[in-house]
């Protein structure tokens, strides 16, 4: 989608520090990390948020969680744990209007 920063990352117009990529999703390091590990996982198809995903396309959400599971194993997060965050819309403070799941870990996280 035009003027979407994450679509531009997907098509290579904007560089990113990639962690994982396949035909459906991209995972890359957050440019402004709030923890030692802060990765964003996004679908390559543009959806603004979960609100915009129709029932018949909802498999992508399970697929994103499958990749989160893989990254969490790769990062050895099984014992210490980590956090998955999906900010959805205005009240949650969603800044980038392309659905993304934050993987945050590597330290003890407070609940705001
Ligand atoms: P949210 O507040 O959930 O919309 O989070 C958006 C996240 O995208 C923030 O944590 C930003 O630091 C991150 N971000 C914005 N631009 C970039 C970029 N070019 N590369 C990597 N992360 C980015
Ligand atoms: Zn987009």
């Amino acid at each position: 989608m035009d003027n979407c920063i994450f679509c531009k990352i997907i098509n290579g117009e904007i560089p990113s520090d990639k962690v994982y990529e396949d035909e459906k999703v991209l995972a890359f390091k957050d440019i402004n990390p709030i923890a030692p590990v802060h990765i964003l996982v996004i679908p390559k198809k543009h959806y603004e948020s979960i609100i915009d995903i129709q029932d018949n396309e909802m498999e992508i959400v399970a697929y994103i969680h499958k990749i989160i599971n893989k990254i969490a194993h790769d990062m050895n997060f099984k014992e210490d744990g980590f956090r998955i965050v999906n900010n959805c819309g205005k009240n949650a403070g969603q800044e980038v209007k392309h659905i993304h799941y934050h993987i945050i870990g590597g330290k003890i996280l407070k609940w705001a």
Side-chain angles (χ1 to χ4, degrees):
M1 174 177 261
D2 293 348
N3 284 327
C4 171
I5 189 168
F6 285 176
C7 283
K8 287 181 178 170
I9 285 175
I10 289 162
N11 70 27
E13 279 179 70
I14 294 176
S16 67
D17 195 346
K18 290 179 189 174
V19 173
Y20 175 87
E21 181 171 20
D22 64 25
E23 71 283 3
K24 286 189 263 195
V25 302
L26 176 65
F28 55 100
K29 293 185 182 172
D30 195 293
I31 204 166
N32 189 19
I34 63 161
V37 177
H38 189 168
I39 293 166
L40 302 173
V41 185
I42 64 175
K44 288 194 169 175
K45 181 168 179 182
H46 180 97
Y47 305 97
E48 183 164 328
S49 81
I50 191 72
I51 294 286
D52 303 301
I53 303 182
Q54 303 296 316
D55 285 356
N56 65 350
E57 294 190 82
M58 207 53 86
E59 306 80 54
I60 190 63
V61 177
Y63 190 75
I64 286 169
H65 277 74
K66 177 181 163 180
I67 299 308
I68 292 172
N69 173 295
K70 174 188 158 30
I71 292 170
H73 277 99
D74 291 348
M75 298 281 167
N76 286 316
F77 280 165
K78 188 165 178 152
E79 187 178 332
D80 286 345
F82 64 106
R83 184 169 287 161
I84 303 167
V85 174
N86 171 228
N87 290 319
C88 185
K90 181 165 62 76
N91 279 5
Q94 182 181 1
E95 288 172 9
V96 179
K97 305 293 190 291
H98 180 131
I99 190 170
H100 51 279
Y101 290 76
H102 299 252
I103 300 175
I104 302 166
K107 71 172 189 180
I108 294 174
L109 301 162
K110 296 206 165 56
W111 186 245

